[in-house]
Amino acid sequence: QVSDITSLRRSETRYRTLTESVPVGIFEMDRSGRFVDVTPLMETLVATPGTLIGRLATDFVHPEHQDRVRLHFARALAGRGSSHEFRVVHADGRERVTLSSFQPVIGPDGTVESVIGTVLDITERKRHEAYVHHLAFYDPLTRLPNRRMLLERLRQVLAAIRKLEDSDGDEA
C-alpha cells in the first residue's frame, strides 16, 4: 500500500509538471461552467494569479463570443468535445485570440462530471496572418488595393451573380 501511495504521488507530480510546462492553458470546469482547476498559464491568459477558481468562463470571454462559448460548453456537457477560436478579455482589458477546446470528463456512471479544456493564445499568429493578407492584396507603397484584390473581388461578384441566376432558375 505504501508503494501505491508513492506511485500515486509520483504520477501526480509528473502530471502537474507536464500540465504546467506546456505552452497551453489547461482548465477544468464544473457542470455550471465555473473553473475548479487551472494551470498557471491559464490564469495569466485571462486574469491575475489566484482569481479564476469559482469564476464563470464567460466572465473572461469577449461579449461577441459568449454565446459561442456556451454552445461549445453545452456540447461538452452532452458528451461531445469541440474546439473553436474565441476572443478573451484579460482582467486588465487586453484582448487575446485563443484556440480553445472543451472535452467532457465522463464519470464511472457514464455521465459527464466536468469539462476539461485547453486554451492556446494565437493572437500573434492572427496578426501575422492579417499582415500576410495585407501584403497579398494591397500595394506596400500606396496601401491601395492591388490587382490581386480586384481580381478576387471580381470572382466574388461573379460567383454571387451565378448563384442568383441559379436560384432564379430554380423558382421558375
Side-chain angles (χ1 to χ4, degrees):
Q1 187 166 0
V2 172
S3 69
D4 288 346
I5 293 171
T6 303
S7 178
L8 181 59
R9 283 188 183 143
R10 188 176 301 129
S11 178
E12 287 174 351
T13 300
R14 285 193 347 244
Y15 169 77
R16 186 59 62 186
T17 301
L18 173 65
T19 60
E20 291 181 359
S21 65
V22 294
V24 174
I26 301 172
F27 62 86
E28 181 177 10
M29 293 185 290
D30 63 17
R31 293 185 54 83
S32 68
R34 294 185 185 280
F35 291 110
V36 295
D37 192 20
V38 295
T39 59
L41 181 58
M42 178 65 195
E43 285 188 306
T44 61
L45 282 173
V46 296
T48 54
T51 60
L52 273 184
I53 302 300
R55 300 278 306 271
L56 290 170
T58 52
D59 290 348
F60 303 97
V61 175
H62 191 279
E64 292 176 10
H65 294 183
Q66 288 182 358
D67 287 341
R68 203 176 327 162
V69 168
R70 286 185 192 100
L71 172 70
H72 287 273
F73 183 71
R75 284 181 184 162
L77 288 178
R80 297 184 318 270
S82 63
S83 64
H84 209 283
E85 290 180 10
F86 303 110
R87 278 189 303 171
V88 296
V89 182
H90 191 279
D92 67 9
R94 287 178 295 138
E95 289 186 15
R96 311 296 293 167
V97 181
T98 65
L99 177 60
S100 303
S101 70
F102 297 82
Q103 297 296 325
V105 176
I106 309 297
D109 63 354
T111 63
V112 176
E113 291 183 344
S114 63
V115 173
I116 60 169
T118 59
V119 177
L120 177 64
D121 185 350
I122 59 171
T123 306
E124 288 303 312
R125 183 176 89 190
K126 287 297 191 181
R127 275 196 198 115
H128 291 296
E129 287 174 3
Y131 179 67
V132 168
H133 179 271
H134 191 273
L135 288 175
F137 291 104
Y138 292 87
D139 181 88
L141 183 61
T142 64
R143 295 196 170 116
L144 294 172
N146 63 18
R147 182 185 309 191
R148 180 175 285 174
M149 172 71 85
L150 173 66
L151 293 173
E152 180 62 28
R153 294 288 162 86
L154 282 173
R155 272 190 227 103
Q156 290 172 358
V157 169
L158 290 173
I161 290 171
R162 281 190 213 105
K163 191 173 187 178
L164 282 172
E165 289 174 346
D166 290 346
S167 65
D168 288 342
D170 293 341
E171 294 174 11

